[in-house]
């Protein structure tokens, strides 16, 4: 039987959040070649940061940014060693369950185009045209 990740909210300056930031840097800056100055932004100071732990390791990370019109999910990343094991899906399930009342069912994200299927499984719908962000094709998606 496969182990399930433990998903925790990590305060922004905590050791756990810093490990999450390290994973983001590895995935986005080193692996996907996103410019470092674009990967971290002012929203990181006020965002809700979630970290998924599996087998004693930081396996995944995401953040939630509060906006007046919706909650924006972003910076979803899974360590290469844990991909294909449902980490991103488990994090999404936690966010959508824990924050549905606050969001009023209104969640937004911009998905790398090849990841759209993951978010569609959680009720997200594509809107608008494909665009390039940090050199990577993306589509905007929302639940409303």
């Amino acid at each position: 039987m496969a182990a399930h990740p433990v998903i925790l909210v990590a305060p922004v300056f905590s050791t756990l959040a810093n490990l999450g930031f390290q994973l983001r840097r590895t995935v986005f800056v080193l692996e996907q070649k996103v410019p470092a100055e674009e990967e971290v932004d002012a929203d990181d100071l006020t965002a809700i940061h979630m970290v998924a732990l599996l087998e004693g390791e930081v396996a995944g990370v995401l953040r939630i940014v509060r906006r007046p019109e919706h909650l924006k999910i972003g910076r979803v990343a899974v360590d290469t060693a844990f991909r294909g094991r449902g980490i991103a899906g488990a994090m999404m399930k936690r966010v959508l369950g824990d924050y549905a009342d606050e969001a009023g069912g209104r969640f937004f994200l911009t998905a790398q185009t090849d990841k759209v299927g993951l978010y569609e499984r959680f009720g997200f719908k594509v809107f608008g045209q494909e665009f390039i962000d940090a050199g990577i094709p993306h589509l905007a998606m929302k639940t409303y």
Side-chain angles (χ1 to χ4, degrees):
M1 182 171 167
H4 296 286
V6 173
I7 300 166
L8 302 172
V9 173
V12 70
F13 292 111
S14 67
T15 300
L16 186 57
N18 287 336
L19 292 170
F21 286 125
Q22 285 179 348
L23 175 58
R24 279 177 37 182
R25 178 176 170 74
T26 298
V27 171
F28 295 121
V29 177
L30 301 179
E31 184 181 324
Q32 297 184 353
K33 309 300 184 212
V34 171
E37 62 275 9
E38 291 182 34
E39 201 287 307
V40 176
D41 62 24
D43 285 333
D44 280 324
L45 296 175
T46 57
I48 301 162
H49 298 276
M50 286 194 166
V51 175
L53 303 173
L54 188 63
E55 299 170 5
E57 301 291 333
V58 173
V61 64
L62 63 70
R63 76 177 187 185
I64 305 159
V65 177
R66 289 180 167 105
R67 297 279 189 246
E69 64 277 15
H70 54 237
L71 292 182
K72 181 181 180 188
I73 300 168
R75 303 302 200 270
V76 180
V78 176
D79 186 286
T80 54
F82 295 99
R83 289 185 190 155
R85 296 173 65 180
I87 303 296
M91 291 189 299
M92 290 299 297
K93 185 175 180 181
R94 169 82 188 266
V95 169
L96 297 174
D98 286 5
Y99 295 92
D101 289 343
E102 178 180 342
R106 299 169 68 88
F107 293 95
F108 169 84
L109 56 82
T110 60
Q112 292 180 6
T113 302
D114 65 339
K115 308 294 188 298
V116 165
L118 165 68
Y119 302 112
E120 286 176 335
R121 291 197 327 248
F122 292 96
F124 283 82
K125 305 261 187 275
V126 170
F127 69 97
Q129 299 298 310
E130 186 176 81
F131 61 96
I132 303 298
D133 185 10
I136 302 167
H138 281 72
L139 286 162
M141 302 185 79
K142 61 186 179 179
T143 57
Y144 56 95

